Amino acid sequence: MGPLRKNIISFKGSNYLRQRLVLSVLSGKAINISEIRAQSDEPGLQEYEVNLLRLLDKLTNGTTLEINETGTEFDFMPGALIGGTLEHECCKQRGIGYYLEVVLSLAPFCKKALSITLRGVTNNEMDPSVDLFKAAALPILGKFLVISSDLTLVINKRGMEPEGGGEVVLNCPAVRQLRPVQVKDSGKIKRIRGVVFALRVSPSIANRIVEAAKGELLHFLPDVFISVDHRKGKQSGKSPGYGGCIYGESTTGVVLTGETASRPPPSPPLAPDDMGRQLAWTLLEEVSRGGCVDSSFQSLACLYMSLTQKDVSQFVSGPLSPYTISFLRHLRTFFGVTFKLEPYQEENEENLRTGVNKVLLTCLGVGYNKLV
């Protein structure tokens, strides 16, 4: 470790751990993270973070990791991304979405086509649900792939907190390079689709959520269809719960989403009618922000833009989230990529009422070539 120390990028604290690990693997640069929750009552890496490091170990070959005794500091030296057919049991403290974000960031750059089965909590309040990834994240990656038909996410089982029991399978083709994109026209929302589920509780709860959500959304748009997902037996996971994910599709293929999920006991349950209205409002809030990318996946779009062929990519988004702003800083640290950010205004006058704070992201791809 001695002579390599000067080449290691050092960080402090547990914030943005996933961003740092993903960019470390893609850039091949070793990182050191210290003072992880040093002042906390429970210092060091949490169980779900250790679980994430195990997942990265499965995705790569030759990764080395050294953690100190208290877990408050570790050195991470990334290996080569391999891919292939994998299975991983996710920690139930976080949703599968926590891990899916990392997998989707790395999947296109694996040596072999990736087929990974993830098991755990599919829907919770904290992380983007697997439905959200299926509806909004896969289309974003699809824009950068030459052939996107092999890119699929299948939800075999659902699982709520605290026991989980969900299972999803992500398939991503191996590509040599990502193509640059120009995505500026957000279009107008033409239809709303979605799914509401009720697991190990009365099926009527799902119907009440749908009715309440449609009651709000029909003021906005006539074409609203929300299906009900009644799962039984093992497919419904190990814990009771209910929730939903809805998405608006625009005339130009842009997908914006909203979702909600019940909390695990001992939290008081939210009435299905209230949850339905809340579900509709989260989507309408996302639509009001505007842009061509859902705010949950702005960082994914930025990552793919920066790793395309050496050409200019442009993407219009709504106001940038703090998570995305941090990600742009990390991209500059690891790849030397800087984005040009400028306010964006639609040419169409009717669109000026929504998304007044749109941002046009412009960057030059680094021409990232994976090791083949």
Side-chain angles (χ1 to χ4, degrees):
M1 281 296 297
L4 290 175
R5 267 286 175 199
K6 60 184 178 185
N7 298 325
I8 287 185
I9 303 173
S10 295
F11 297 102
K12 288 185 180 180
S14 59
N15 282 352
Y16 308 115
L17 181 72
R18 284 178 299 170
Q19 295 183 2
R20 291 162 181 173
L21 289 170
V22 163
L23 293 174
S24 169
V25 171
L26 290 173
S27 65
K29 294 175 180 174
I31 59 172
N32 166 267
I33 301 182
S34 59
E35 297 181 26
I36 301 170
R37 301 187 181 87
Q39 308 300 321
S40 170
D41 294 337
E42 295 181 18
L45 290 165
Q46 298 289 313
E47 185 185 338
Y48 62 86
E49 293 166 334
V50 175
N51 189 286
L52 176 64
L53 289 166
R54 287 200 193 101
L55 172 60
L56 287 173
D57 189 46
K58 290 179 183 176
L59 285 165
T60 56
N61 185 16
T63 294
T64 58
L65 175 70
E66 293 179 15
I67 306 176
N68 70 355
E69 289 179 8
T70 56
T72 54
E73 182 177 355
F74 69 86
D75 289 337
F76 179 82
M77 281 162 288
L81 273 168
I82 299 299
T85 304
L86 303 169
E87 292 188 9
H88 185 70
E89 189 75 39
C90 301
C91 178
K92 298 186 188 88
Q93 292 175 352
R94 298 296 293 258
I96 291 177
Y98 176 84
Y99 301 90
L100 257 183
E101 186 180 317
V102 171
V103 174
L104 260 187
S105 300
L106 302 175
F109 311 106
C110 289
K111 185 176 180 183
K112 295 182 276 191
L114 180 67
S115 175
I116 185 166
T117 304
L118 297 170
R119 298 186 180 91
V121 176
T122 54
N123 303 78
N124 68 359
E125 257 205 333
M126 192 183 300
D127 302 296
S129 68
V130 290
D131 302 276
L132 215 63
F133 277 89
K134 188 173 182 177
L138 294 195
I140 293 171
L141 176 53
K143 291 183 195 306
F144 292 88
L145 300 179
V146 179
I147 302 172
S148 58
S149 57
D150 298 336
L151 182 64
T152 59
L153 179 62
V154 182
I155 304 168
N156 291 334
K157 302 175 187 173
R158 290 189 182 276
M160 298 291 289
E161 290 181 309
E163 292 300 317
E167 180 181 291
V168 301
V169 181
L170 173 72
N171 295 300
C172 181
V175 290
R176 188 173 285 270
Q177 271 194 328
L178 297 182
R179 62 180 180 186
V181 298
Q182 304 277 331
V183 185
K184 294 184 190 176
D185 187 4
S186 57
K188 293 180 182 175
I189 301 296
K190 63 177 179 179
R191 61 170 171 242
I192 293 174
R193 297 290 182 265
V195 61
V196 168
F197 57 88
L199 312 176
R200 300 191 176 273
V201 293
S202 168
S204 65
I205 288 179
N207 296 329
R208 285 171 62 189
I209 294 173
V210 170
E211 286 302 314
K214 284 181 75 173
E216 296 291 321
L217 294 169
L218 287 171
H219 295 304
F220 172 63
L221 204 67
D223 188 357
V224 179
F225 182 78
I226 303 173
S227 60
V228 174
D229 188 358
H230 287 306
R231 303 248 171 174
K232 294 179 181 176
K234 289 184 178 178
Q235 286 197 325
S236 62
K238 299 175 182 175
S239 296
Y242 48 90
C245 170
I246 55 175
Y247 55 93
E249 265 182 77
S250 85
T251 49
T252 54
V254 170
V255 178
L256 301 174
T257 62
E259 68 167 344
T260 184
S262 61
R263 297 175 183 172
S267 300
L270 190 64
D273 306 306
D274 292 341
M275 180 174 277
R277 285 189 285 273
Q278 189 177 318
L279 182 61
W281 295 338
T282 54
L283 173 62
L284 295 176
E285 185 184 344
E286 190 63 48
V287 171
S288 74
R289 290 191 190 116
C292 301
V293 57
D294 191 85
S295 56
S296 302
F297 304 117
Q298 289 171 347
S299 58
L300 270 181
C302 292
L303 174 70
Y304 300 144
M305 283 170 69
S306 58
L307 299 182
T308 59
Q309 301 162 20
K310 291 190 175 179
D311 204 344
V312 174
S313 289
Q314 290 187 310
F315 225 108
V316 172
S317 85
L320 296 181
S321 66
Y323 188 81
T324 307
I325 292 167
S326 165
F327 190 72
L328 293 177
R329 289 175 181 148
H330 281 112
L331 275 172
R332 189 178 62 188
T333 303
F334 282 92
F335 284 102
V337 174
T338 52
F339 278 70
K340 182 183 179 186
L341 308 178
E342 50 195 330
Y344 184 75
Q345 220 169 30
E346 294 272 358
E347 293 171 14
N348 188 345
E349 285 295 318
E350 291 180 34
N351 285 351
L352 294 181
R353 286 171 294 183
T354 62
V356 289
N357 296 322
K358 286 183 187 171
V359 180
L360 176 62
L361 298 150
T362 308
C363 89
L364 181 66
V366 297
Y368 185 84
N369 267 325
K370 62 183 183 183
L371 301 169
V372 178

